[in-house]
Amino acid sequence: MQLPKFLMGDHADHMDDIFIIHTEFPHFILNLVTDEIVWMEDIADEDEETLMAEMSILIEQAEAFYDEQIEKYESQ
């Protein structure tokens, strides 16, 4: 199965939160409300400088993904 790069998620116990799940390496869940990131794997062995630069881009992509999805829902 081919997964999309990003998925949106929610949870009834966290009604005010908006989660974006990144399905590729580095796998993580981003809470758009609190800007918290939960890593789904150990990233300690990765080059920190490279990872931080990549994360900045991925967070921007995650936010753009969310905006695009909301636009699609609102236009339907």
Side-chain angles (χ1 to χ4, degrees), residues 6 8 15 18 21 27 30-31 37 47 49-52 60-62 66-67:
F6 294 105
M8 288 179 26
M15 296 292 285
I18 302 166
I21 301 102
H27 299 87
L30 169 64
N31 183 327
I37 297 175
D47 176 28
E49 186 175 316
T50 302
L51 184 60
M52 293 312 286
E60 286 178 21
Q61 290 176 351
Y66 174 76
D67 291 341

Side-chain angles (χ1 to χ4, degrees), residues 30-42:
L30 169 64
N31 183 327
L32 287 179
V33 175
T34 64
D35 291 331
E36 291 178 86
I37 297 175
V38 174
W39 300 100
M40 304 304 288
E41 59 208 341
D42 184 17

Side-chain angles (χ1 to χ4, degrees), residues 13-27:
D13 293 339
H14 301 273
M15 296 292 285
D16 295 331
D17 292 322
I18 302 166
F19 300 104
I20 302 295
I21 301 102
H22 184 247
T23 64
E24 300 173 357
F25 184 83
H27 299 87

